Amino acid sequence: MRLANILKLGIKELRSLARDPMMLVLIIYAFSMSIYTGANALPETLNRAAIAVVDEDQSPASSRIITAFNPPYFSIPKLITQSEMDRRMDAGIDTFALDIPPNFQRDLLARKSPTIQLNVDATRISQAFTGAGYVQSIVTSEVSEFLKRYRSAASLPIDLSLRARFNQELKKAWFGAISHFMSNITMLSIVLTGAALIREREHGTIEHLLVMPVTPFEIMVSKIWSMGLVVLAASALSLMFVIHGLLAVPIEGSFALFMAGTTLYLFATASLGIFLATQAGSMPQFGLLLMLALLPLQVLSGTLTPRESMPELIRYVMLAAPNTHFVMMAQSILFRGAGLDVVWPQFAALFAIGAILFMFSLRRFRQFLK
């Protein structure tokens, strides 16, 4: 192995990437607009859900219920007629339609348990599931206070003192920003290294490398360090200016420690990108393989949902995936301010997994060049 060959071949990869405008656009978008929009548009968040009300009672009790729906969870209720309700639901105008029947207040005061109908557009599953519970809670609370003739705080047998650590304001944008940030690191590290190898074959330059005094090891390492450096630099800028600067997400831990862990992670995922590229014959095939590998890695690693909520078998199997340890490391450092004494198991796991993936990829790469 000659370090000069690895350095020069890596610089060649950087120059090839600089001449690929689509890849440059993808990198810039993935670490800027993609993270910003992903942080502010979480699908599970109930935000200004469209609601309409059919008030057939026109009583103080029904008016009390209508005025209880306010932003930011719901939009201002739209008063409609009975004949408009189905048409607006069919057209997708309203997510929720509440029908308050005639004589609602009279039956309520007579303790006859009147029925209120709630129609939900279940095609908007993220809002339908959360919003239905909100509507039920609001209606129940308003009816209860109306019957008591005054508003009062609920009397609880205990006093629960809630202390939210690491995200005191419970901002979902903080979690969304870091989740998209980690997912984009995974995606781009695999895409860039795999595309660099496939680009060599499609342009016919792989044959030129084979007649040069360079080894497969030097070729592979050059692609890993060059593409990994691009992703590492882009992630550092995104973390400082987009996540911490624009989105105001606090970084509790050491920035240098996180970058060191990210370097180990990029070593593993870039090796995986080389392995997938050697299995694919073209960029479309590489894209299909990427989807088969990327979706399970992102969904089952703990990025979107806690690993504790997954089946036990999945939790053990995903310990062999590098991004499982990267997610644990990143959340510990960025959110909880953990040091090396806490995250060293994740560092060791990333190094071991990266070494194994590198050996498998190098073996396959040598077969690929024959």
Side-chain angles (χ1 to χ4, degrees), residues 58-271:
Q58 301 288 328
S59 65
S62 62
S63 298
R64 184 181 187 126
I65 293 174
I66 295 172
T67 55
F69 295 97
N70 293 304
Y73 295 117
F74 296 93
S75 61
I76 301 300
K78 177 72 175 179
L79 296 179
I80 61 175
T81 62
Q82 180 73 39
S83 59
E84 293 179 301
M85 184 173 63
D86 289 340
R87 179 182 59 82
R88 290 173 63 90
M89 291 289 290
D90 292 341
I93 299 175
D94 300 320
T95 305
F96 304 97
L98 194 67
D99 187 357
I100 303 176
N103 303 320
F104 170 73
Q105 179 173 305
R106 187 187 67 183
D107 294 341
L108 190 65
L109 295 175
R111 306 293 180 176
K112 293 184 179 180
S113 299
T115 300
I116 295 180
Q117 183 185 72
L118 175 63
N119 298 279
V120 181
D121 183 0
T123 60
R124 303 175 181 179
I125 186 63
S126 59
Q127 289 192 340
F129 180 78
T130 307
Y134 275 67
V135 172
Q136 182 179 3
S137 177
I138 290 173
V139 172
T140 302
S141 176
E142 293 299 323
V143 169
S144 176
E145 291 176 356
F146 175 78
L147 291 176
K148 291 179 180 179
R149 305 292 183 176
Y150 67 92
R151 294 183 182 270
S152 62
S155 178
L156 299 177
I158 61 172
D159 184 16
L160 180 63
S161 179
L162 176 63
R163 297 180 180 179
R165 300 187 62 187
F166 316 122
N167 188 355
Q168 290 81 359
E169 299 180 10
L170 301 179
K171 292 184 177 180
K172 294 184 178 180
W174 291 10
F175 176 78
I178 298 298
S179 297
H180 281 77
F181 174 67
M182 292 186 291
S183 297
N184 290 344
I185 289 177
T186 304
M187 178 191 69
L188 281 177
S189 59
I190 298 176
V191 168
L192 291 181
T193 50
L197 178 57
I198 294 178
R199 189 189 304 118
E200 297 274 16
R201 181 164 55 186
E202 291 181 344
H203 293 175
T205 54
I206 192 71
E207 288 80 7
H208 297 170
L209 292 176
L210 294 177
V211 298
M212 295 176 63
V214 293
T215 64
F217 181 88
E218 294 170 352
I219 297 174
M220 180 172 165
V221 171
S222 67
K223 296 184 183 300
I224 290 177
W225 84 255
S226 58
M227 297 299 102
L229 179 62
V230 171
V231 178
L232 187 66
S235 60
L237 294 175
S238 177
L239 187 62
M240 289 188 296
F241 297 108
V242 178
I243 296 177
H244 185 59
L246 186 60
L247 295 173
V249 179
I251 307 300
E252 299 294 341
S254 169
F255 179 81
L257 183 63
F258 174 74
M259 286 292 106
T262 304
T263 302
L264 289 176
Y265 178 63
L266 290 174
F267 171 62
T269 52
S271 299

Side-chain angles (χ1 to χ4, degrees), residues 254-312:
S254 169
F255 179 81
L257 183 63
F258 174 74
M259 286 292 106
T262 304
T263 302
L264 289 176
Y265 178 63
L266 290 174
F267 171 62
T269 52
S271 299
L272 178 60
I274 294 291
F275 179 80
L276 293 178
T278 57
Q279 300 291 333
S282 61
M283 280 300 294
Q285 292 181 7
F286 176 70
L288 293 175
L289 288 176
L290 179 65
M291 288 189 292
L292 292 175
L294 194 60
L295 289 177
L297 287 176
Q298 292 183 341
V299 173
L300 302 177
S301 64
T303 306
L304 303 178
T305 57
R307 295 182 64 249
E308 292 76 13
S309 62
M310 301 177 188
E312 187 175 2

Side-chain angles (χ1 to χ4, degrees), residues 311-331:
E312 187 175 2
L313 177 62
I314 297 297
R315 294 204 305 267
Y316 285 120
V317 169
M318 288 305 296
L319 288 176
N323 57 335
T324 300
H325 304 279
F326 178 64
V327 169
M328 291 190 288
M329 180 210 70
Q331 292 179 346

